[in-house]
Amino acid sequence: MLHQATEVKSLRPDLGNLLFPKQGGDICPFASFGRHVAFKRHAIIFSSGSACHGLYRIERGLIALRHHHGDGRRAIVRLGRPGDIVEWSGALVGSRHRYEGWALCDGDYCYLPVEEWCRDNPSQVQQWAMMAAYRENLLLEESVARLSVLNSEERLLTFLLSLVDERQLDRFPISIRVPVQKNEIAEIISVTPESCSRTLTKLQKQGVIEWKDREKMLILDKTVKHLVPFIKFFR
């Protein structure tokens, strides 16, 4: 039986909407200065510590922002999904990538060189940089909250729910396309691959989930609905 976790509200600002108001169905700087780049599954989009000269708006696919620990372990800090703009702090504050950008599946992104964009908006650069740093801190706080508020079973189910269109969350059984492998799910929810495999097997035996094929799963148990407010931890 899943316990009722306490909701933690997200306060992070949506910098994409604040800095790039949509006009004509697209975000103007990306339309004016951006260039589209396709990537393959497991491609390294950018490396931790490398020079960061621009922003990445994800058009298709999933990109994991990963931190590499000195002992060889890795942790996924957040996921970048279609519509997300990543690497604010690197481009506007630190000039280097804080994390590795790792493709979880095939996709493409639009790359915006910061120098060209800032040249047209010099008076606002400092304000944008401060907002980017503030947002980065909030993202890290949410990453900590994800581990402290949810147990591993709940993190797994919440991640799976985060793959679903919000309009489908009240329609059980919920059909989910899972574009990542089990060992990648383990990294996303911060557990070992063995623990993740045991949890998946347990949930299937309990009738909470059912694998239909390699990339399709059903969530059968309506009691998982209390986890919907925590989906933001994986978006």
Side-chain angles (χ1 to χ4, degrees):
M1 188 70 172
L2 298 173
H3 75 270
Q4 298 290 319
T6 303
E7 181 180 358
V8 176
K9 295 186 180 297
S10 174
L11 298 175
R12 69 185 186 221
D14 183 348
L15 293 188
N17 286 332
L18 286 173
L19 306 187
F20 301 149
K22 292 184 179 180
Q23 297 180 16
D26 202 357
I27 295 176
C28 290
F30 283 94
S32 301
F33 302 111
R35 59 183 176 86
H36 286 268
V37 179
F39 57 82
K40 293 293 186 181
R41 182 171 178 267
H42 289 173
I44 304 298
I45 310 300
F46 45 81
S47 300
S48 175
S50 62
C52 182
H53 300 299
L55 299 173
Y56 302 73
R57 185 180 70 181
I58 301 165
E59 306 293 328
R60 181 173 60 90
L62 285 174
I63 294 178
L65 299 185
R66 301 199 299 187
H67 175 69
H68 288 259
H69 296 280
D71 60 4
R73 291 180 300 164
R74 299 176 305 217
I76 292 179
V77 178
R78 65 164 295 205
L79 296 178
R81 300 167 182 270
D84 286 350
I85 301 172
V86 300
E87 286 307 277
W88 290 103
S89 63
L92 296 173
V93 182
S95 76
R96 295 198 173 273
H97 293 287
R98 291 188 66 181
Y99 307 111
E100 174 188 81
W102 183 56
L104 290 170
C105 55
D106 293 354
D108 55 84
Y109 62 84
C110 187
Y111 177 75
L112 173 65
V114 168
E115 184 177 353
E116 294 182 39
W117 166 50
C118 290
R119 191 164 52 231
D120 284 1
N121 302 273
S123 63
Q124 296 179 309
V125 172
Q126 184 177 4
Q127 178 189 358
W128 292 340
M130 291 176 63
M131 292 173 64
Y134 173 63
R135 183 178 186 274
E136 188 75 21
N137 285 335
L138 290 176
L139 285 171
L140 291 174
E141 288 177 11
E142 287 190 3
S143 180
V144 173
R146 182 176 70 201
L147 296 175
S148 60
V149 174
L150 302 176
N151 62 37
S152 58
E153 189 174 292
E154 290 169 329
R155 292 199 298 274
L156 172 57
L157 288 168
T158 305
F159 166 68
L160 294 173
L161 289 171
S162 77
L163 300 174
V164 181
D165 187 300
E166 291 183 1
R167 295 168 293 184
Q168 307 297 319
L169 289 172
D170 286 325
R171 302 177 185 177
F172 285 84
I174 298 175
S175 179
I176 303 173
R177 179 182 172 273
V178 184
V180 294
Q181 298 177 345
K182 292 180 182 178
N183 63 317
E184 295 164 346
I185 295 175
E187 197 169 332
I188 290 168
I189 65 173
S190 303
V191 298
T192 64
E194 295 77 15
S195 176
C196 181
S197 183
R198 287 194 299 269
T199 302
L200 284 167
T201 300
K202 174 185 174 183
L203 291 172
Q204 186 152 356
K205 287 181 178 179
Q206 292 176 339
V208 178
I209 63 172
E210 178 185 346
W211 282 103
K212 301 301 291 183
D213 56 47
R214 189 172 180 178
E215 289 192 351
K216 186 178 180 181
M217 174 190 288
L218 296 178
I219 293 185
L220 307 171
D221 193 339
K222 293 183 179 181
T223 60
V224 304
K225 288 179 67 174
H226 77 280
L227 296 172
V228 170
F230 300 95
I231 288 175
K232 61 178 175 288
F233 287 161
F234 294 97
R235 286 185 173 168

